[in-house]
Amino acid sequence: MKIVICGAGQVGYGIAERLAAEQNDVSVIDSSPQLINAIGDQLDVRGFVGHGAHPDVLAQAGAEEADMIVAVTLYDEVNMVACQVAHSLFNVPTKVARIRAQSYLQGRWRNLFSRDHMPIDVIISPEIEVGEMVLRRLALPGAVETVRFADDQVVVVGIMCEEDCPVVDTPLRQLTELFPDLGAVVVGLYRNNRLFVPKSSDSILTGDLAYVVARRDQVRRTLSIFGHEEPEAAKVIIAGGGNIGLYVAQALEQRQTGTKIKMIEASRERAMAVADDLKRSVILHGSALDQTILNEADAGDADTMIALTNEDEVNILASVMAKKLGCKRSLSLLNNPSYPAFANALGIDAFINPRAVTISRILQHVRRGRIRGVHSLQNGAAEIVEAEALDTSPLVGKPLRVIDLPSGIRVGAVFRGGEVLTPNGDLQIQAQDRIVIFAVANRVRQVEQMFRVSLDFF
């Protein structure tokens, strides 16, 4: 695909890095010569210095032949105009824009982003995307990663296997025998910085991060089998009263009325503004790295510290300090892709990478075939894909046991007629089934081929 990216910041760089690695033809536009020089030196992309919404700059970047434009500059208005220009002047088929101001996204203005007005096909709101992911993690505190597919009926959870995990050293085939009605499949293991699809003879080891695909009604039971029975948080501390912190606090006030919320915000002006928007939360003005403030927030008695400031280092240290004071769990926002590798060693129980969330949304529209959803794992080491099977798919009409799936690919669930089917050797995939499938990075193209219409093969 030919893709034009407007914005070479952290998100734009991450998108360009991933798309270029998959042999897409990528052009990046940014007004900063330094950012363009850096991205051109490090990635196999073409860089252009200029305003992302200006027609002449878009033309230089190849908008006339582009299949997609991804506008992720710091300014919503630039992103929107870039998509409008790409549509009106260059007829770019797919237009993606990052929009952060919630005013644009209110329900009463839902017609704004239509082809008759401002033609944007995909809107990415980092605050909402990340906020919802935080809320899902809070609802399942035993999971370090939670993603939903198939109309929210299939849940993919990342589960850390500690020393007290009951299923450690148990072969996976034995797990199936012990829990035949579980409705969950281990599709991937992250061990020693390597993510792979395990064989039925493989055992889970202490320290593994297991990725499990489960029916929604079996997620808590699955977590329990893996030794995680943590209750939902009743006392929460939120460090950072920015857009994400405010979104999470408002949602908790509405959805979990029994949860006690305390928020720490460094800016006095912002703390006062947040206090006006929240009804039941206690707002504390100060630094999340100040032990006095943490004690005032009762960190020692809290169930979860959610660190959502704009600085990774503050999030990490605030989480570590809260845990040292007695807080049971921590959840941290980490933008730097190198930090998650040692987050667990520091005692951070779970983390969220906003860039990974954004990249996953975009990959859904880059992938060829009937792809309904994509989630990137471990900085692109693998993907969970939800795809619709067509009549021409090589998966259709055969029992799974006779389908020679390449190594590195595992079917996790089949969604048919509103029902979730757990895959076994006898299951035959039918046309229009929605399949949740795990694939390591170098097998993703093969997954695409399985779900492409017949004309795409020629």
Side-chain angles (χ1 to χ4, degrees):
M1 291 183 72
K2 294 186 177 181
I3 302 166
V4 176
I5 300 172
C6 299
Q10 276 195 346
V11 173
Y13 184 97
I15 296 167
E17 180 180 38
R18 185 65 180 278
L19 296 179
E22 297 183 1
Q23 310 306 313
N24 291 289
D25 183 351
V26 180
S27 300
V28 182
I29 301 169
D30 199 283
S31 57
S32 166
Q34 291 81 9
L35 289 178
I36 290 298
N37 288 336
I39 205 169
D41 290 341
Q42 298 171 33
L43 304 179
D44 183 19
V45 303
R46 294 178 298 154
F48 299 88
V49 178
H51 194 289
H54 287 179
D56 56 336
V57 179
L58 285 168
Q60 290 176 37
E64 291 182 11
E65 295 86 30
D67 300 295
M68 174 185 292
I69 181 170
V70 180
V72 288
T73 75
L74 294 175
Y75 307 101
D76 292 352
E77 292 73 19
V78 173
N79 296 337
M80 290 188 287
V81 173
C83 288
Q84 178 73 69
V85 173
H87 172 80
S88 301
L89 298 185
F90 302 109
N91 199 29
V92 176
T94 304
K95 298 157 288 289
V96 181
R98 179 172 66 171
I99 297 181
R100 306 182 67 178
Q102 298 305 298
S103 175
Y104 288 121
L105 305 177
Q106 292 179 18
R108 72 180 89 171
W109 317 126
R110 64 171 59 92
N111 291 329
L112 174 62
F113 301 108
S114 66
R115 292 187 68 85
D116 294 332
H117 298 100
M118 193 164 287
I120 300 175
D121 302 296
V122 183
I123 292 173
I124 298 173
S125 173
E127 285 76 15
I128 294 177
E129 300 277 350
V130 174
E132 286 297 326
M133 189 161 284
V134 169
L135 293 165
R136 288 197 292 271
R137 300 280 178 87
L138 287 176
L140 296 170
V144 299
E145 192 150 7
T146 307
V147 195
R148 293 183 179 181
F149 293 96
D151 300 339
D152 288 349
Q153 297 307 304
V154 174
V155 181
V156 181
V157 287
I159 309 174
M160 187 59 66
C161 302
E162 312 287 358
E163 290 184 1
D164 58 352
C165 175
V167 296
V168 160
D169 297 327
T170 303
L172 293 180
R173 71 160 64 93
Q174 193 172 335
L175 279 182
T176 304
E177 296 168 1
L178 290 171
F179 308 101
D181 62 337
L182 180 58
V185 178
V186 177
V187 294
L189 292 176
Y190 186 65
R191 177 187 299 165
N192 298 327
N193 297 319
R194 175 174 167 258
L195 186 55
F196 63 96
V197 172
K199 300 175 182 176
S200 60
S201 58
D202 289 340
S203 297
I204 296 171
L205 305 181
T206 300
D208 283 355
L209 174 58
Y211 287 99
V212 184
V213 178
R215 294 202 319 258
R216 183 176 179 177
D217 62 349
Q218 292 290 321
V219 174
R220 292 190 184 278
R221 183 184 172 204
T222 301
L223 288 169
S224 176
I225 288 170
F226 279 77
H228 290 278
E229 297 184 276
E230 298 89 338
E232 285 190 33
K235 298 178 181 178
V236 172
I237 300 173
I238 300 174
N243 291 334
I244 298 174
L246 176 59
Y247 181 89
V248 170
Q250 288 176 324
L252 286 175
E253 286 188 345
Q254 295 169 7
R255 303 178 194 180
Q256 297 176 215
T257 54
T259 301
K260 295 181 179 178
I261 307 160
K262 294 186 178 180
M263 178 181 286
I264 301 172
E265 169 53 45
S267 164
R268 181 177 181 83
E269 182 181 356
R270 179 62 181 174
M272 293 176 66
V274 168
D276 290 337
D277 290 331
L278 297 174
K279 298 178 175 61
R280 295 189 294 104
S281 304
V282 175
I283 314 301
L284 302 174
H285 170 233
S287 170
L289 301 182
D290 186 336
Q291 187 167 328
T292 303
I293 293 291
L294 289 174
N295 285 328
E296 191 176 344
D298 295 323
D301 193 39
D303 295 311
T304 305
M305 159 65 90
I306 310 172
L308 301 173
T309 76
N310 290 325
E311 299 181 46
D312 287 359
E313 293 78 8
V314 172
N315 294 337
I316 291 171
L317 290 173
S319 298
V320 171
M321 291 176 66
K323 289 286 292 285
K324 289 293 184 183
L325 290 173
C327 182
K328 296 181 181 66
R329 294 183 296 277
S330 61
L331 173 59
S332 182
L333 194 69
L334 299 179
N335 286 283
N336 190 319
S338 64
Y339 285 168
F342 58 82
N344 189 252
L346 292 173
I348 296 173
D349 299 293
F351 62 87
I352 292 174
N353 184 337
R355 186 169 71 168
V357 175
T358 302
I359 291 172
S360 293
R361 282 292 312 278
I362 290 169
L363 286 176
Q364 178 179 342
H365 300 276
V366 173
R367 297 280 170 255
R368 298 183 184 276
R370 293 291 184 91
I371 306 300
R372 286 175 167 265
V374 174
H375 184 75
S376 180
L377 300 173
Q378 296 296 336
N379 203 27
E383 289 180 17
I384 300 283
V385 177
E386 179 191 346
E388 181 180 339
L390 302 174
D391 291 319
T392 53
S393 171
L395 300 178
V396 169
K398 306 172 187 173
L400 285 179
R401 67 162 52 89
V402 303
I403 297 174
D404 187 21
L405 282 178
S407 62
I409 296 176
R410 173 70 56 84
V411 174
V414 175
F415 187 61
R416 177 186 300 162
E419 180 184 1
V420 178
L421 307 177
T422 302
N424 57 47
D426 297 324
L427 180 65
Q428 292 190 27
I429 292 172
Q430 300 175 5
Q432 298 183 342
D433 282 354
R434 287 155 64 179
I435 303 164
V436 177
I437 195 165
F438 175 98
V440 297
N442 62 356
R443 297 298 189 189
V444 170
R445 289 297 185 197
Q446 288 172 273
V447 172
E448 287 183 287
Q449 289 283 1
M450 294 176 189
F451 299 98
R452 290 170 70 176
V453 297
S454 56
L455 288 177
D456 285 343
F457 286 104
F458 302 99

